[in-house]
Amino acid sequence: MIAAVEAARAGLFRRAHWVPNLVAGVIVGIVALPLAMAFAIASGAKPEQGIYTSIVAGIAVSLFGGSRLQIAGPTGAFIVILAGVTAQYGVGGLMTATMMAGLILIALGAAQLGSVIRFIPDPVITGFTAGIGVIIWVGQWKDFFGLPASGGTHFHEKLWHLLQTLPQLHTATTALAVLSLLLVIYAPKLPGMARVPGPMVAMIVATVLQSLFRFDGVATIASAFGGIPRGLPAFALPDLGIGHILTLVPAAFTIAMLGAIESLLSAVVADGMAGTRHDSNQELIGQGIANLLAPLFGGFAATGAIARTATNIRNGATGPLAGVVHGLTLVLILLLLAPLAARIPLCALAAILFVVAWNMSEAKHFVRMARTAPAADVAILLITFALTVFTDLVMAVNIGVVLAMLQFLRRMASSVEVLRLDEGQLRGELGAAAALPPDVIVYSIEGPFFFGAVESLERALQQTHTDPRCIVIRLRRVPFMDITGIQALEEAMHNLDRRKVRTVLCEANARVLRKLVRAGLVKRDEQPIRYFRDFDAALAACAPAGAPA
């Protein structure tokens, strides 16, 4: 259900909820300001574009998303992708790719794929988020230490260049950056400062110091971007030419998939903190609407922000009103305080991103998983991490997901067994006589019979060294079959028929039986009958001619 409609039905827009949501919205708006500018700069856009994104996307997701407490805006996870798109296609290309991603997200939500996207394995998510954290951290060295622009296009080339130029660090820039870093981390721990955002404290202190002492060589928003314009952005359409769109399809899909994953993870975190329940499909639609609208007003890609959503909940938010207030707070800041942002040192924003990178890396979780997870999962974790850092996120996620799927299929296949049952195992079902009919073998397929499990049936049948008169295959513990499993069963039955061995199936559930009928393995008028509803009837059909039933 749409968040705003659900909140209205729950009475969350009544006057009793105004104060907590107004307070939470203002606090989150203040928290979002330095992050929005930092993420925009790191993505190759202008700082004000990050603010525009937070305003438009934040309000849109709060109204049209599937989580009543979600706060949306630019996030650190997007930096690597967006910076690459901006470098290759410019800011205009970034806006076009964002709108395309918005359409993809709406399509995913409309197709009810919200719950499926959440099934991406944890080693893949942890590997690429940790890799993004490393890339963001290294990418901010230039502004943090006041280094010359780095050369090279690949991570290892940039890292090597930064290490070579590190002795040339700018003393005043580095000092302001270290102070900002300490304030981001420790300011909220000071007495009476628990609810004051560390990033905002760091940005204000660094800006005041730069304004008072005017340190030579310290890069600021004014020196790098000419300041932040006061006022709201004008409506403008990005380049929607067909040729431009076709070249941006891969980037748009990457933005959409990463945005879907992060927004749904953020919604899950919100549910856990507030005891709510989000609509994953509507959340994707809301995120899609936000990404469609943001570029029309100078913004770029946005998604659910876990840290800002958590801040929203901790400060008393109960509904989407807080998200709307967060956007309006940024509007007021933009209209009233934009000129003051000109002297914000870039090193202070880099310090904020240092902390963002550390939080994204989830270093403790990464190390614990690497030490305690099964070997295959550790391999997927490390491969995804290495590919994220040294190649690109698209390749890393694709290969990571493929490896995880192959590993899952291997585990599923190994869990499927085709067991030969003897008289002792069947004693309770055979009755007092406890004897199988002569020359009859009973097999039981245990588990889902899909393409990865076909080998189990083939191996079991090959172990039958002398041909029996009849083979009974029990299907009661088969929850489903795919077409490959059905074809393997059909081929095995044909081979046995050629060897004059009768094959009888029994006890399939309704879903499996429908598939067997549709595939032609079970026919209603077939003689002799191949399928029986229960095991006793199947055994009776295998009894020698003239034997009592």
Side-chain angles (χ1 to χ4, degrees):
M1 181 181 290
I2 299 174
V5 175
E6 190 268 343
R9 290 182 179 177
L12 297 178
F13 289 119
R14 294 175 184 168
R15 184 169 298 182
H17 292 275
W18 287 4
V19 172
N21 284 288
L22 287 170
V23 171
V26 170
I27 292 173
V28 176
I30 294 172
V31 171
L33 178 64
L35 294 174
M37 291 190 293
F39 293 146
I41 293 170
S43 300
K46 295 181 179 179
E48 64 267 23
Q49 291 182 281
I51 302 175
Y52 302 156
T53 303
S54 290
I55 293 170
V56 178
I59 294 175
V61 168
S62 294
L63 294 178
F64 302 109
S67 170
R68 66 172 72 162
L69 297 168
Q70 182 85 282
I71 300 294
T75 65
F78 275 147
I79 288 176
V80 177
I81 298 172
L82 303 189
V85 175
T86 306
Q88 188 170 359
Y89 303 105
V91 175
L94 175 59
M95 293 180 174
T96 303
T98 298
M99 292 191 71
M100 294 167 62
L103 291 173
I104 295 169
L105 285 167
I106 292 173
L108 291 174
Q112 306 288 301
L113 294 177
S115 58
V116 175
I117 292 172
R118 290 165 53 191
F119 294 151
I120 294 179
D122 194 41
V124 177
I125 294 175
T126 301
F128 79 68
T129 53
I132 290 171
V134 170
I135 294 172
I136 293 172
W137 177 58
V138 173
Q140 294 306 305
W141 284 17
K142 172 184 171 294
D143 290 333
F144 190 93
F145 297 108
L147 301 175
S150 59
T153 56
H154 299 290
F155 174 82
H156 64 280
E157 296 171 341
K158 294 178 181 178
L159 177 60
W160 179 243
H161 184 271
L162 288 168
L163 290 173
Q164 288 180 313
T165 58
L166 195 57
Q168 304 173 32
L169 61 85
H170 188 264
T171 306
T173 299
T174 304
L176 270 180
V178 172
L179 175 62
S180 300
L181 182 61
L182 294 174
L183 288 172
V184 173
I185 297 171
Y186 295 109
K189 299 179 181 180
L190 298 175
M193 299 282 286
R195 301 186 68 174
V196 180
M200 179 59 68
V201 174
M203 188 180 70
I204 291 174
V205 171
T207 303
V208 169
L209 289 175
Q210 177 62 21
S211 299
L212 291 175
F213 298 101
R214 299 182 183 273
F215 300 110
D216 290 334
V218 174
T220 63
I221 287 180
S223 65
F225 302 99
I228 294 179
R230 175 186 286 178
L232 298 176
F235 177 89
L237 277 173
D239 183 1
L240 298 178
I242 186 65
H244 196 49
I245 288 175
L246 291 176
T247 60
L248 289 168
V249 167
F253 266 100
T254 305
I255 293 170
M257 294 307 298
L258 186 55
I261 293 168
E262 189 167 10
S263 64
L264 294 178
L265 286 175
S266 181
V268 170
V269 170
D271 288 346
M273 294 181 66
T276 56
R277 185 175 181 180
H278 75 280
D279 182 334
S280 57
N281 295 312
Q282 184 60 44
E283 181 62 24
L284 292 184
I285 293 173
Q287 295 290 340
I289 292 171
N291 282 280
L292 269 178
L293 294 177
L296 299 177
F297 298 94
F300 53 88
T303 186
I306 295 176
R308 274 160 276 172
T309 299
T311 301
N312 189 41
I313 296 169
R314 291 193 191 105
N315 285 280
T318 59
L321 178 60
V324 175
V325 172
H326 139 267
L328 297 178
T329 300
L330 289 171
V331 170
L332 290 176
I333 293 173
L334 195 63
L335 294 176
L336 301 176
L337 304 176
L340 300 179
R343 292 180 181 174
I344 296 175
L346 297 185
C347 62
L349 299 180
I352 293 171
L353 288 179
F354 267 30
V355 177
V356 169
W358 170 258
N359 292 334
M360 281 194 64
S361 70
E362 294 186 282
K364 292 181 180 179
H365 180 57
F366 185 96
V367 171
R368 184 169 62 252
M369 183 180 292
R371 292 175 59 184
T372 61
D377 291 323
V378 173
I380 293 169
L381 171 73
L382 297 178
I383 290 171
T384 305
F385 173 78
L387 290 174
T388 301
V389 174
F390 294 106
T391 59
D392 63 77
L393 185 64
V394 180
M395 181 182 294
V397 173
N398 288 342
I399 292 178
V401 169
V402 169
L403 290 176
M405 289 175 60
L406 292 175
Q407 172 62 8
F408 172 75
L409 292 174
R410 187 185 70 83
R411 289 172 176 167
M412 286 285 290
S414 64
S415 70
V416 179
E417 295 182 291
V418 180
L419 303 177
R420 179 173 176 175
L421 304 180
D422 57 29
E423 292 179 348
Q425 294 167 305
L426 296 170
R427 188 176 303 277
E429 298 178 75
L430 294 174
L436 287 170
D439 293 330
V440 174
I441 294 176
V442 178
Y443 287 104
S444 177
I445 301 178
E446 313 272 332
F449 196 63
F450 66 111
F451 64 89
V454 168
E455 185 182 355
S456 300
L457 177 64
E458 296 173 345
R459 187 168 56 246
L461 293 178
Q462 287 172 359
Q463 292 173 357
T464 305
H465 301 296
T466 57
D467 285 346
R469 184 169 42 79
C470 183
I471 290 179
V472 178
I473 299 179
R474 307 185 71 178
L475 303 174
R476 64 176 179 171
R477 293 182 179 172
V478 179
F480 68 86
M481 278 189 177
D482 72 354
I483 185 60
T484 308
I486 292 172
Q487 289 174 346
L489 184 60
E490 182 180 24
E491 183 179 355
M493 293 170 66
H494 285 331
N495 290 337
L496 291 168
D497 287 343
R498 285 196 294 268
R499 288 153 48 188
K500 307 301 181 183
V501 178
R502 184 182 179 188
T503 310
V504 173
L505 307 176
C506 64
E507 302 175 289
N509 65 41
R511 184 194 305 177
V512 171
L513 181 57
R514 281 196 300 270
K515 292 183 178 181
L516 294 176
V517 170
R518 185 175 181 180
L521 264 71
V522 174
K523 300 177 182 177
R524 301 184 190 281
D525 56 350
E526 186 176 28
Q527 292 295 331
I529 299 173
R530 279 192 183 273
Y531 177 79
F532 295 88
R533 182 176 299 178
D534 56 64
F535 180 54
D536 290 339
L539 281 183
C542 289

